[in-house]
Amino acid sequence: MGQPVVELKNVYKRIGKKTLIDNLSFSIQSGEVFGFLGPNGAGKTTTIRMMVGLMKPTQGTILIKGENLLTHFERAIQHVGAIVENPELYSFLSGYQNLVHFSRMSGPPDFGRIQEVTKRVGLDSVIHQRVKTYSLGMRQRLGVAQALLHRPSVLILDEPTNGLDPAGIREFRTLLRELSHIEDVAVLISSHLLSEIELMCDRVGIIQKGSLIGIETVTDFVQDLQGTSVRFSVDQLEKAKSLLTSYDVPFSFQEDTLVLKVERDAIPTWVERFTNEKIKIFAIQPLTKTLEDRFLEVTEGRSID
């Protein structure tokens, strides 16, 4: 694994006596989609503002492509594309005119790149229409195209699917996954839609009270590391309960079923044990935790942005 595109090292943000960000460190690689989650007031927006240069950290280092954002701001920020909340667009201009305008901010317009990003985000057929005729999903796509114009190494998106309908969210999710690989760009996405983060991201980091609780792959994060919960529907609950107690296996009742806390490899063993005791098994269902379940566990049920 090469040098991370984004690195935050021991970052603090204090305002007066209040600590907003407390020793925050994480990194993101090229081609990776990183989900950034946290309860209200956890520090997500503050972190993003520091990453795009709108706020200075009190202490610590932020590196973009190895460049220090504080000491070499221009060299570092040229690698960043961002949409914070809604993209700023000129509604009276066409999508194409908007892209030409924003392209000029980096020098002479690169018409080849404009055509390329237009195709990337799937706006070929409407790019010459005025933005005021665009749906919210189309505006978000144009915002992404705008952020990609200068070929950034990292794309930072704050609540990009906010307000989109289910179809628009699904399209945007597919777009981001494709972009991360085709453009080889690192993507940081802050969102309150946990189910979308689960489907969209490679890794997820959870921040609470300004501190990072942990970073894991989405798969590892939703797994129960102490075992798998498996629901058994059987015909003799009390007899099954006695058998489980004799083996000191954690279990609970869920309606008329038993939920066992066992490793995946132990499931066939328990099928055999129930069968040997003449306990009929009607159904077996592994119970996988969702990202929301794990989020509520680690944040003790606090609400999210």
Side-chain angles (χ1 to χ4, degrees):
M1 189 175 292
Q3 182 187 45
V5 176
V6 177
E7 278 188 280
L8 276 70
K9 297 181 178 180
N10 309 114
V11 173
Y12 290 81
K13 180 61 183 178
R14 303 184 185 95
I15 297 181
K17 295 182 178 180
K18 187 175 182 180
T19 300
L20 302 180
I21 300 298
D22 187 4
N23 196 25
L24 185 63
S25 298
F26 65 85
S27 62
I28 311 174
Q29 297 286 336
S30 290
E32 179 181 28
V33 182
F34 183 89
F36 200 42
L37 299 172
N40 287 322
K44 298 197 310 298
T45 299
T46 300
T47 301
I48 287 174
R49 285 179 173 274
M50 289 190 292
M51 291 176 69
V52 298
L54 295 176
M55 184 182 288
K56 289 185 178 181
T58 305
Q59 184 180 331
T61 304
I62 300 175
L63 300 176
I64 310 292
K65 288 285 283 187
E67 299 286 355
N68 191 313
L69 193 63
L70 289 178
T71 59
H72 298 92
F73 178 78
E74 289 188 8
R75 293 213 302 255
I77 204 67
Q78 68 179 338
H79 299 294
V80 178
I83 303 177
V84 180
E85 296 180 354
N86 296 319
E88 295 296 329
L89 303 166
Y90 295 101
S91 60
F92 61 90
L93 297 178
S94 69
Y96 184 80
Q97 289 170 325
N98 267 273
L99 294 181
V100 170
H101 172 72
F102 288 110
S103 182
R104 285 197 176 104
M105 293 182 178
S106 302
D110 186 340
F111 297 105
R113 180 60 175 170
I114 291 172
Q115 184 177 7
E116 184 180 10
V117 297
T118 298
K119 186 174 181 179
R120 284 269 196 273
V121 302
L123 289 178
D124 312 54
S125 62
V126 296
I127 196 62
H128 293 290
Q129 295 179 17
R130 290 188 180 183
V131 170
K132 66 181 179 181
T133 67
Y134 283 15
S135 66
L136 180 58
M138 291 161 63
R139 286 171 178 262
Q140 291 291 71
R141 285 172 174 267
L142 185 61
V144 172
Q146 170 192 321
L148 290 173
L149 277 172
H150 62 294
R151 294 181 174 84
S153 299
V154 58
L155 185 61
I156 299 173
L157 306 173
D158 187 18
E159 301 283 0
T161 58
N162 202 18
L164 295 182
D165 59 23
I169 291 173
R170 183 177 181 180
E171 289 176 0
F172 197 83
R173 179 178 73 224
T174 302
L175 171 64
L176 284 188
R177 293 298 309 175
E178 291 176 350
L179 285 175
S180 66
H181 295 294
I182 295 172
E183 294 276 336
D184 196 29
V185 61
V187 180
L188 181 144
I189 177 169
S190 165
S191 177
H192 69 284
L193 297 175
L194 296 173
S195 59
E196 287 309 310
I197 288 290
E198 186 171 357
L199 293 170
M200 193 184 304
C201 299
D202 301 300
R203 290 190 300 152
V204 59
I206 290 186
I207 184 174
Q208 186 176 28
K209 296 179 181 178
S211 298
L212 195 66
I213 295 174
I215 298 175
E216 299 179 60
T217 66
V218 170
T219 301
D220 287 343
F221 187 74
V222 300
Q223 283 180 344
D224 187 341
L225 300 180
Q226 296 180 356
T228 303
S229 293
V230 185
R231 180 187 291 134
F232 280 83
S233 178
V234 298
D235 69 337
Q236 300 180 66
L237 284 175
E238 289 304 318
K239 188 174 181 180
K241 177 182 174 181
S242 298
L243 183 63
L244 290 165
T245 302
S246 68
Y247 281 93
D248 196 27
V249 174
F251 68 91
S252 61
F253 287 104
Q254 196 171 92
E255 298 177 349
D256 294 328
T257 63
L258 286 168
V259 177
L260 282 61
K261 185 83 70 171
V262 295
E263 296 294 337
R264 184 174 181 273
D265 292 343
I267 295 175
T269 300
W270 278 100
V271 171
E272 184 178 356
R273 285 171 181 167
F274 285 144
T275 302
N276 289 341
E277 293 295 323
K278 309 301 182 184
I279 299 171
K280 294 180 180 178
I281 302 172
F282 302 116
I284 302 172
Q285 179 186 8
L287 302 177
T288 304
K289 289 184 178 179
T290 64
L291 184 62
E292 184 171 15
D293 293 331
R294 288 288 288 127
F295 178 87
L296 293 175
E297 282 182 7
V298 299
T299 61
E300 300 175 348
R302 295 177 184 271
S303 62
I304 54 175
D305 291 346

